[in-house]
Amino acid sequence: MPREQMPEFSSSVKLKYVKLGFQYLVDHFLSLLLIPIMAIIAIELLRMGPEEILNVWKSLHFDLVYLLCSCFFVIFISSVYFISKPRTVYLVDYCCYKPPVSCRVPFATFMEHSRLILNDKPKSVEFQMRILERSGLGEETCLPPAIHYIPPTPTMDEARSEAQMVIFTAMDDLFKKTDLMPKDIDILIVNCSLFSPTPSLSAMVINKYKLRSNIKSFNLSGMGCSAGLISVDLARDLLQVHPNSNAIIVSTEIITPNYYKGNERAMLLPNCLFRMGSAAILMSNHRSDRWRAKYKLSHLVRTHRGADDKSYYCVYEQEDKDGNIGINLSKDLMAIAGPLVLPASEQLLFLLSLIGRKIFNPKWKPYIPDFKLAFEHFCIHAGGRAVIDELQKNLQLSGEHVEASRMTLHRFGNTSSSSLWYELSYIESKGRMRRGDRVWQIAFGSGFKCNSAVWKCNRTIKTPKDGPWSDCIDRYPVFIPEVVKL
């Protein structure tokens, strides 16, 4: 007689609702405890007559000195709490740069240019073709004008021209969208990893918009694709000590001076993946902005693994044997550990699992947190198809959860530190962002750094009529095959 098969409890609908109930119980424990007590007190007061309530009040003997001391203590504690309480930091709005059609690089154009530029290196051309076929990029990604020349012209003037084009366009759009005047900017942070001229890019912005002389400006370089959230962290810290301030962050990567013309495979990868892009973000600690701001910053966690040699060298700028400078992307790039931000119920289950393994049985299967209970939306840095695949598997996410990352990689390529904002714009353009939704942004870059930020949506966001996805959002999501034969 065949053995009766046991039901699969892990996929049981009933178990799902039990878990959701447990999460609600843990997250609202204090409220659920206080509500019955308050209800009992209210019922008892309703049962008592006015004379009984008056007698109870008279039976309480208040000493004047004791009453004054108690009031002073309550006021003192309240003052200390409100003074020491961190200021709420808002993300008022943001804009992403949308490259012109003239900068588009279809697969056929990219490969034709590669064959002409690397005509004496057929193996390099073939390798780039194989990478491009499996990259997850689409036909509409863009490269700056200097890379369209044969051969490319990665001069300082061309690099500055690209920087002005992507940064100023994004900032102009942000000023128009938020009605912010340049003189109202108190803090300016520009991050660009591989192009660090003198004067700096932040100085270039100050000169263009004639910003105030007392502006607090910062220019971050060499920090890779995670620099966007590092800039958010820096802006948050500055907004804690400077009240009633506006901070603008510009996240970009300048492609022009970084096209690799050598033969090292690990250094040819960036040619196939990186594309032009930029984002300008307005953050504020004005209380009045809580009504118009899109998001409120809830958490920000930074992890640096630079002490480990493999982590340090996995994204490394260097010269090859022929003296060509490029970025070496190591196969160790996937060996990363992301920080966790979980609701109380998941933290409790994880802690109980850890204690059980330590005390009772080390062979117990560790509890894997359910990130889908913690967040409604995920913005995973669109560093490449393999990066998204790995994080989807490790975090046990569905295809819908990583849709924004995959579609951003397909439409815009790897735009480095600005990719998270193209992904957030995708979610908004799909009309999926509701008041109270939580968004987890995960970024990582050279060093090796893994940074994450959690934003809470302030208001239901209407589907935007402009932005980088305005002319193509109806076509997405699209099916992306494993291999696109060229």
Side-chain angles (χ1 to χ4, degrees), residues 54 74 79 100 136-137 139 141 147 162 166 187 204 233 254 266-267 274 326 337 369 447 455 469 475 478:
L54 189 62
V74 170
S79 300
L137 272 68
E139 297 276 7
T141 62
I147 307 300
E162 181 194 349
V166 300
I187 299 164
M204 181 185 79
D233 186 37
I254 304 306
M267 299 170 73
F274 283 89
W455 303 91
W469 297 93
R475 292 191 276 114
V478 297

Side-chain angles (χ1 to χ4, degrees), residues 16-183:
K16 174 186 174 183
Y17 285 108
V18 168
K19 193 169 184 179
L20 287 171
F22 171 71
Q23 180 201 1
Y24 189 86
L25 176 65
V26 174
D27 291 349
H28 301 85
F29 178 74
L30 287 177
S31 300
L32 294 173
L33 182 67
L34 291 173
I35 288 172
I37 295 173
M38 294 174 66
I40 291 169
I41 294 172
I43 291 169
E44 288 298 319
L45 288 173
L46 289 172
R47 285 179 178 175
M48 296 170 66
E51 292 183 1
E52 290 179 289
I53 296 173
L54 189 62
N55 291 332
V56 171
W57 176 259
K58 288 179 179 179
S59 66
L60 298 174
H61 299 286
F62 292 105
D63 182 81
L64 183 60
V65 176
Y66 174 77
L67 187 63
L68 289 174
C69 289
S70 300
C71 291
F72 174 78
F73 181 74
V74 170
I75 293 170
F76 175 75
I77 294 297
S78 301
S79 300
V80 170
Y81 170 76
F82 284 110
I83 290 172
S84 60
K85 183 184 177 182
R87 289 189 174 91
T88 303
V89 174
Y90 299 103
L91 193 166
V92 179
D93 216 326
Y94 64 96
C95 286
C96 298
Y97 171 73
K98 185 178 179 181
V101 177
S102 58
C103 290
R104 286 184 181 174
V105 186
F107 292 158
T109 302
F110 183 90
M111 291 313 305
E112 182 184 9
H113 282 217
S114 294
R115 291 187 186 97
L116 293 171
I117 295 166
L118 305 171
N119 56 3
D120 58 338
K121 300 167 183 173
K123 289 186 177 180
S124 295
V125 174
E126 184 183 350
F127 174 75
Q128 285 187 307
M129 183 174 71
R130 291 204 305 270
I131 292 298
L132 202 61
E133 288 176 337
R134 295 162 175 81
S135 65
L137 272 68
E139 297 276 7
E140 297 179 286
T141 62
C142 296
L143 285 171
I147 307 300
H148 287 257
Y149 290 108
I150 302 174
T153 57
T155 63
M156 176 63 76
D157 285 343
E158 289 287 355
R160 285 187 192 276
S161 177
E162 181 194 349
Q164 291 167 359
M165 177 168 58
V166 300
I167 292 174
F168 295 163
T169 304
M171 289 196 66
D172 288 344
D173 291 343
L174 185 65
F175 288 140
K176 182 179 179 181
K177 198 173 185 180
T178 61
D179 294 324
L180 185 74
M181 300 296 292
K183 64 180 178 62

